[in-house]
Amino acid sequence: MSGVHKELTGKEEFEAALATKDRYVFIYAYEGEISPKAAENAKKYAATTDAYSVDVSKYPKAKASFKVEVTPTAIVFKNGEELKRVEGTKENPEKMKEIDDLLSS
């Protein structure tokens, strides 16, 4: 990946992202615009992480599929398994630090 979020737009793309092996997969579910901090983190972790985003206002099936109740939500997967989720990323900097620590390891 190029260090920026790749926008997910369909079921096949979601499945392909989750099928990634031996790398972290970071999904940023948002409405409207991607926060500058999220874009910055996509670049920061590009060596170990594939970063994806989905505007759940445009793709409500993704919102249901990922069980997103609050936006933005950050979800980290590895080998298809969910490792960490933070709902309301702006309101939970301490939880986002846990994702930072995970992706830095």
Side-chain angles (χ1 to χ4, degrees):
M1 302 232 51
S2 63
V4 296
H5 291 100
K6 179 180 188 243
E7 185 74 20
L8 295 172
T9 60
K11 185 175 182 176
E12 294 80 19
E13 290 177 1
F14 289 101
E15 290 172 353
L18 295 182
T20 300
K21 298 291 184 204
D22 301 323
R23 287 180 60 82
Y24 291 110
V25 173
F26 180 89
I27 308 265
Y28 183 73
Y30 69 100
E31 293 178 298
E33 294 185 11
I34 295 176
S35 77
K37 181 72 173 168
E40 178 183 311
N41 283 340
K43 291 177 185 170
K44 182 177 178 181
Y45 301 114
T48 61
T49 306
D50 290 346
Y52 297 90
S53 61
V54 59
D55 185 340
V56 294
S57 64
K58 292 181 184 175
Y59 302 101
K61 286 184 180 181
K63 188 173 188 175
S65 177
F66 285 115
K67 298 176 181 76
V68 173
E69 296 181 20
V70 177
T71 57
T73 290
I75 312 167
V76 177
F77 295 87
K78 189 163 189 181
N79 297 323
E81 179 182 340
E82 183 175 322
L83 301 179
K84 188 77 182 159
R85 172 186 296 256
V86 177
E87 296 180 334
T89 59
K90 295 175 187 172
E91 296 80 30
N92 289 303
E94 67 286 347
K95 293 285 187 191
M96 286 305 294
K97 171 87 170 82
E98 293 174 17
I99 285 182
D100 185 56
D101 292 345
L102 176 66
L103 298 180
S104 296
S105 63

